[in-house]
Amino acid sequence: MEKKPLIGIIGGNGKMGCWFKNFFEKNDLKVIISDIETEYSNKEIAEMSDIIIISVPISKVTEVVKEIRNHIKKESLLTDTTSIKRYPLKEMKKAKCGVLGMHPLFGPICKDMKNKTIVFCRARDNIYVDFLKKLFRKNGANILEISPKEHDKQMAILQSLLHFTNISFSYFLYSKKFKSNPNFLTPSFKLQSLVLGRILAQNPELYADIEMENPYFRKISEEYIKEITKFQKIIKDKKYEEFKNKFNLSSSYFSEFIKIAEEKSTEILKLLEKQVIRVGKPKKINLKNAKVGFLGPEGTFSWIGAKTIFKNNVKLKPFINIRDIFKEVAEGGVDLGMVPIENSITGIVSETMYSFIDFPVKSIGSFKIPIHHVLASYEKDTKNIKIIKSHPQALLQCKKYLDENFPNILREPTSSTVAPILEDKNSSVGFIVPLLTAQKYKLNILRKNIEDYKNNFTRFFIISQSRIVIKNLKPKNTLILFAVYDKVGILRDILSIFADNKINLSALHSIPSRLHPWDYMFFLEVEKSYDSIKKIIKKLEKYCPYIRILGSA
């Protein structure tokens, strides 16, 4: 093929349409799209393109095909990305061009198509069918060729029935207002919750189409419900032998896979050991007598911040690390958590960012406290100080002062600013601590304000399961976590959306992904409330396979 084909995607601003647009552009192919408020109409895409891809909801495919089929060049290829093949292909074959039914068995959250499967239902071949097949295989995809009828029969069980079962189960939990302590969830429920979460994160219109438009699913669902009714009667009548017989028959049907499933699910459960899974809506918080977690022990800057914001209305609970605070908030062990997010000198706190990714909690506000250090000791004279101990950050923030005034004194980093005070009563030890901490532990204050930068601040987020109004906090900004498609200039395109709408950004940080080397998540702070930028966030979807609102600040 001498000339590269022009790719036209109808529905190019949808999630799957965006995914394929980025894919083809990465493979040096020109792509044009039509969608709401785009330069080209559906008919113009049909007239101009060599390969026309319909990426719209299943229920809209027939309507789009009727609109464009008389505008497609005879030598072009008409294809689609929908989960139903029989009826759409019947309509597509009325066009006088090449026709191919495609079904990518993966979603737009996937980074690429390596080791993924794309179904081909051939209807009327031309050169572009083989072109797509070679291109997809070159990018690591598996091509599975099958008839439209067999495809829809398989999908009636693999998609429609599976989704029907999970959505029904999740709605049942909702209808019963079922709640459970995260520590009480069984291993099987934890595994099932991953499937539920993945399904419920999708577009309900798509899943309605998958169940309602598949011509074979109605019969399958009726047969399935009959089997459930039979099982229900077996349980009601306590027919143990019949139950065991059905169980064993089911087990034998999957016998080749059972041991592998047991092994692989155990690996997944190990990954979930530190992941909180919460069922149901979060409880309401009464700020009076609420439990607040902070980075302890008492005497740290986190403790000072907590005392500043909450006064004496709450019960403070110290934690050794930031992740434990997130975990306790997510599990309901404490009502609120206070975590450092950024220091004006040393920058972002990565442990806080990763914890936001891992736990289902939100920020409900932020505040800053000034960072001032004193040199304190059980000793009264600096001449008798032999060693200075403190947290590495405190030592770093006072480095210039220490170099000039105590150049020959040993410095020892510790787990917190308070830890050495509690552990070492030796009078020859100096401690770098906040003023309030020195006063709390009745230390002698040898020097005040020894920090190198006088305008040093640490910013904290208050995290919670649910929104609550705290008098001293007035959140105005929205926090967003997102991943991007792998495309040149993608961040520029995202930032342009905010610039074009005259919306300022307070922060943009990249966080290395733990899933793939050299992949990144991005943390964005927008100087607008969430309600005022909902439409803007919708526009981000064409560039971002994953978007999560982390709350307000």
Side-chain angles (χ1 to χ4, degrees):
M1 185 181 296
E2 296 180 4
K3 183 173 76 75
K4 290 182 178 180
L6 175 63
I7 310 294
I9 302 176
I10 296 175
N13 280 339
K15 289 186 177 180
M16 212 62 207
C18 282
W19 194 96
F20 272 104
K21 179 177 184 292
N22 292 328
F23 167 79
F24 286 119
E25 287 178 340
K26 277 183 66 179
N27 282 273
D28 297 321
L29 293 165
K30 185 178 179 182
V31 181
I32 56 176
I33 68 167
S34 63
D35 211 310
I36 299 170
E37 297 180 357
T38 53
E39 179 182 354
Y40 298 110
S41 67
N42 293 347
K43 290 178 182 178
E44 288 172 325
I45 293 291
E47 290 167 350
M48 298 168 64
S49 305
D50 299 305
I51 298 175
I52 301 103
I53 301 174
I54 299 175
S55 183
V56 300
I58 298 167
S59 57
K60 300 286 194 298
V61 173
T62 299
E63 177 186 330
V64 171
V65 172
K66 287 179 179 178
E67 178 190 1
I68 68 170
R69 65 187 176 203
N70 294 328
H71 297 267
I72 303 172
K73 295 176 289 188
K74 187 176 181 180
E75 62 272 18
S76 295
L77 175 68
L78 176 62
T79 184
D80 72 324
T81 62
T82 58
S83 302
I84 308 296
K85 288 276 108 33
R86 191 176 172 190
Y87 290 155
L89 274 174
K90 183 179 179 181
E91 199 63 42
M92 288 163 67
K93 283 194 288 187
K94 293 178 183 178
K96 295 180 180 179
C97 59
V99 176
L100 171 69
M102 279 199 312
H103 182 192
L105 300 184
F106 57 90
I109 199 169
C110 293
K111 182 176 181 288
D112 52 43
M113 61 172 63
K114 188 176 181 180
N115 297 322
K116 307 297 187 299
T117 297
I118 299 178
V119 174
F120 271 27
C121 296
R122 292 177 181 263
R124 188 182 300 128
D125 280 3
N126 67 10
I127 58 172
Y128 295 122
V129 174
D130 285 335
F131 171 82
L132 289 178
K133 188 174 183 178
K134 289 176 183 177
L135 179 65
F136 294 158
R137 281 182 169 169
K138 179 184 174 184
N139 282 270
N142 304 310
I143 304 299
L144 175 63
E145 298 198 19
I146 193 171
S147 72
K149 182 178 180 180
E150 184 59 28
H151 170 276
D152 288 359
K153 281 186 173 182
Q154 293 272 334
M155 287 301 129
I157 291 177
L158 297 175
Q159 277 193 322
S160 304
L161 181 60
L162 179 70
H163 298 161
F164 174 81
T165 303
N166 280 280
I167 294 168
S168 299
F169 177 50
S170 59
Y171 185 80
F172 178 78
L173 296 180
Y174 161 77
S175 67
K176 294 298 179 183
K177 300 296 183 282
F178 174 80
K179 287 186 178 181
S180 182
N181 186 306
N183 293 316
F184 197 64
L185 302 181
T186 64
S188 294
F189 189 93
K190 287 182 178 181
L191 291 170
Q192 184 63 38
S193 69
L194 289 182
V195 179
L196 288 178
R198 189 174 181 88
I199 289 173
L200 296 174
Q202 307 306 314
N203 185 336
E205 183 181 2
L206 169 64
Y207 278 54
D209 279 349
I210 286 173
E211 293 182 35
M212 296 178 189
E213 300 295 330
N214 189 304
Y216 302 102
F217 179 58
R218 179 176 292 182
K219 184 180 178 182
I220 290 290
S221 65
E222 290 170 354
E223 292 172 352
Y224 179 64
I225 290 169
K226 283 180 183 178
E227 287 299 326
I228 290 175
T229 305
K230 289 178 185 177
F231 257 107
Q232 188 181 36
K233 191 172 188 316
I234 289 170
I235 293 167
K236 182 181 178 181
D237 296 341
K238 294 188 176 182
K239 294 182 177 180
Y240 285 93
E241 292 304 317
E242 194 170 345
F243 180 91
K244 287 192 290 184
N245 181 53
K246 284 184 177 288
F247 186 96
N248 289 331
L249 285 172
S250 302
S251 178
S252 65
Y253 195 69
F254 290 93
S255 60
E256 297 298 318
F257 183 64
I258 283 176
K259 284 299 176 185
I260 296 173
E262 193 173 30
E263 178 186 338
K264 294 298 180 183
S265 62
T266 300
E267 291 177 14
I268 294 172
L269 285 167
K270 285 180 180 178
L271 295 175
L272 287 176
E273 283 176 357
K274 297 181 180 180
Q275 175 66 58
V276 174
I277 296 172
R278 194 174 66 228
V279 179
K281 290 187 176 181
K283 65 179 181 180
K284 291 183 178 180
I285 298 170
N286 182 359
L287 194 56
K288 191 174 182 180
N289 296 321
K291 295 178 183 176
V292 179
F294 71 97
L295 201 57
E298 291 187 2
T300 60
F301 279 110
S302 293
W303 172 76
I304 293 171
K307 298 286 283 185
T308 302
I309 289 295
F310 295 106
K311 308 300 181 186
N312 297 316
N313 299 328
V314 300
K315 298 175 183 177
L316 297 179
K317 183 177 179 180
F319 288 88
I320 295 174
N321 60 62
I322 292 169
R323 189 176 178 86
D324 285 346
I325 299 174
F326 273 85
K327 186 173 184 290
E328 280 293 292
V329 171
E331 291 181 349
V334 294
D335 301 299
L336 303 167
M338 200 187 78
V339 292
I341 181 62
E342 188 176 17
N343 178 265
S344 57
I345 303 299
T346 56
I348 199 78
V349 181
S350 59
E351 188 180 359
T352 296
M353 294 311 312
Y354 280 118
S355 296
F356 265 120
I357 294 172
D358 291 341
F359 293 98
V361 302
K362 290 184 180 293
S363 169
I364 58 171
S366 67
F367 67 95
K368 298 175 184 177
I369 62 170
I371 303 300
H372 298 299
H373 296 289
V374 302
L375 178 62
S377 177
Y378 291 109
E379 172 61 49
K380 293 183 179 180
D381 192 338
T382 57
K383 293 179 181 178
N384 297 323
I385 299 298
K386 306 298 182 187
I387 185 172
I388 295 175
K389 297 183 179 183
S390 192
H391 188 274
Q393 291 281 1
L395 292 172
L396 182 63
Q397 290 166 5
C398 301
K399 184 179 183 301
K400 184 178 178 182
Y401 173 85
L402 295 176
D403 288 346
E404 291 176 355
N405 294 277
F406 299 93
N408 300 316
I409 299 297
L410 182 66
R411 301 168 201 175
E412 182 179 311
T414 58
S415 60
S416 74
T417 52
V418 179
I421 299 173
L422 302 175
E423 296 167 0
D424 198 335
K425 304 292 184 179
N426 192 319
S427 61
S428 64
V429 178
F431 309 106
I432 297 177
V433 293
L435 177 62
L436 284 178
T437 305
Q439 293 170 342
K440 175 179 174 60
Y441 291 100
K442 297 181 172 56
L443 299 175
N444 297 308
I445 299 168
L446 307 180
R447 296 286 188 277
K448 289 184 178 181
N449 298 327
I450 66 170
E451 64 278 356
D452 297 337
Y453 300 94
K454 304 307 176 187
N455 292 319
N456 185 13
F457 291 84
T458 292
R459 189 182 184 206
F460 293 86
F461 283 166
I462 304 296
I463 59 172
S464 172
Q465 288 188 22
S466 56
R467 293 182 66 178
I468 181 175
V469 176
I470 297 175
K471 188 177 180 181
N472 297 340
L473 302 181
K474 295 181 179 179
K476 297 179 180 178
N477 297 354
T478 301
L479 307 174
I480 305 173
L481 180 73
F482 63 92
V484 299
Y485 291 116
D486 185 8
K487 175 189 171 186
V488 174
I490 194 83
L491 272 181
R492 176 205 60 202
D493 295 337
I494 289 170
L495 296 178
S496 293
I497 291 176
F498 292 99
D500 292 345
N501 286 275
K502 296 180 171 54
I503 295 174
N504 196 35
L505 307 178
S506 300
L508 174 63
H509 301 285
S510 62
I511 314 155
S513 169
R514 291 168 174 171
L515 296 176
H516 303 286
W518 306 112
D519 268 7
Y520 289 85
M521 303 286 283
F522 294 90
F523 169 82
L524 190 67
E525 183 168 350
V526 184
E527 291 186 359
K528 287 282 185 180
S529 68
Y530 172 65
D531 289 338
S532 66
I533 59 169
K534 284 182 179 179
K535 290 183 179 179
I536 303 297
I537 292 171
K538 189 72 179 172
K539 290 181 179 179
L540 294 181
E541 290 180 358
K542 65 189 293 186
Y543 304 112
C544 306
Y546 174 86
I547 301 173
R548 181 178 154 205
I549 306 302
L550 296 180
S552 55

